[in-house]
Amino acid sequence: AQTVTQSQPEMSVQEAETVTLSCTYDTSENNYYLFWYKQPPSRQMILVIRQEAYKQQNATENRFSVNFQKAAKSFSLKISDSQLGDTAMYFCAFTSATGNQFYFGTGTSLTVIP
Amino acid sequence: GAGVSQTPSNKVTEKGKYVELRCDPISGHTALYWYRQSLGQGPEFLIYFQGTGAADDSGLPNDRFFAVRPEGSVSTLKIQRTERGDSAVYLCASSLAPGLAGNEQFFGPGTRLTVL
């Protein structure tokens, strides 16, 4: 069975600073995909970044980047130059290459302080 | 609109009643998913449709829950004899190519169900 663990229920960061959200997962699969989704109070889940397990290079999307450590089964999200609009719940998610459902962590509530 | 839509946005019902939650996926998306998100938790998978058929319903908690997608587009999640423990946000998502893992799932805003 796949499990996703986010050990930081809440975090805060000063505007313009950098913050890292942690995620670990457990799977016996070798080929899979990892995601970070953002969920603001509007409840709309928005894709932040995606990583393919067979790619060694860490994914980057503007101010968002990941540190993917396959051997350690770790997938952290780094947000640089934090903005007030980054305040939201952040969910780490896993899907196997052969599956269809996503497995989500319990989320990290991020607050960006002005 | 181009996104996934869900109606109603909020539903309050009494214990024992029947409810239907509707999802309109993005046009052309053949894959559709239902998730349930309880307070303080991440979304949990309920069911996945490929076209009109339920390809994986392993996440449905019991036989009070049922979902249909008769024409391969709109889907309805049906809950019979609702219980207070069914209170949650029900999220719908859709994606393009079926079975291609890693394809982004586009989520709707959810329906918040409250069972009194």
Side-chain angles (χ1 to χ4, degrees):
Chain A
Q2 275 67 239
T3 59
V4 178
T5 301
Q6 293 179 250
S7 59
Q8 304 155 315
E10 296 181 358
M11 292 194 72
S12 61
V13 62
Q14 289 290 138
E15 194 176 4
E17 295 296 309
T18 295
V19 64
T20 299
L21 309 184
S22 301
C23 173
T24 58
Y25 58 94
D26 190 23
T27 182
S28 58
E29 305 271 350
N30 189 50
N31 195 15
Y32 49 86
Y33 299 81
L34 296 162
F35 304 79
W36 279 98
Y37 274 87
K38 169 184 176 181
Q39 188 178 42
S42 67
R43 298 199 306 246
Q44 188 87 44
M45 297 277 277
I46 303 164
L47 178 68
V48 174
I49 200 164
R50 168 174 52 208
Q51 175 78 42
E52 294 144 334
Y54 60 86
K55 288 188 176 179
Q56 291 186 334
Q57 186 173 5
N58 288 326
T60 299
E61 287 287 341
N62 300 314
R63 298 183 295 108
F64 300 89
S65 61
V66 300
N67 182 6
F68 173 48
Q69 301 291 327
K70 190 173 184 179
K73 296 180 181 173
S74 169
F75 182 61
S76 60
L77 173 69
K78 185 171 82 170
I79 306 174
S80 303
D81 185 26
S82 298
Q83 301 175 0
L84 297 179
D86 295 334
T87 293
M89 283 290 291
Y90 286 81
F91 291 97
C92 178
F94 167 103
T95 187
S96 71
T98 55
N100 294 297
Q101 62 170 288
F102 278 16
Y103 296 88
F104 287 88
T106 52
T108 296
S109 177
L110 177 67
T111 301
V112 179
I113 302 167
Chain B
V4 177
S5 62
Q6 292 186 247
T7 54
S9 57
N10 289 283
K11 175 72 176 177
V12 180
T13 191
E14 293 180 343
K15 180 175 178 296
K17 298 290 188 182
Y18 167 84
V19 296
E20 290 189 351
L21 311 179
R22 176 188 169 108
C23 172
D24 260 292
I26 293 172
S27 178
H29 281 191
T30 56
L32 185 146
Y33 313 79
W34 283 99
Y35 293 84
R36 178 168 70 175
Q37 185 175 19
S38 300
L39 192 63
Q41 301 295 317
E44 293 178 305
F45 171 79
L46 295 176
I47 187 170
Y48 154 65
F49 285 91
Q50 177 44 52
T52 61
D56 183 352
D57 64 358
S58 62
L60 295 178
N62 52 59
D63 61 6
R64 294 188 297 106
F65 288 75
F66 189 71
V68 295
R69 196 186 184 197
E71 298 178 357
S73 178
V74 170
S75 175
T76 304
L77 178 66
K78 307 180 180 191
I79 310 174
Q80 298 178 319
R81 305 183 303 280
T82 52
E83 300 178 356
R84 293 193 178 89
D86 299 335
S87 295
V89 173
Y90 289 82
L91 295 170
C92 176
S94 69
S95 69
L96 265 175
L100 279 185
N103 267 346
E104 177 184 354
Q105 292 190 12
F106 294 82
F107 284 81
T111 294
R112 182 180 298 281
L113 175 66
T114 302
V115 182
L116 300 177

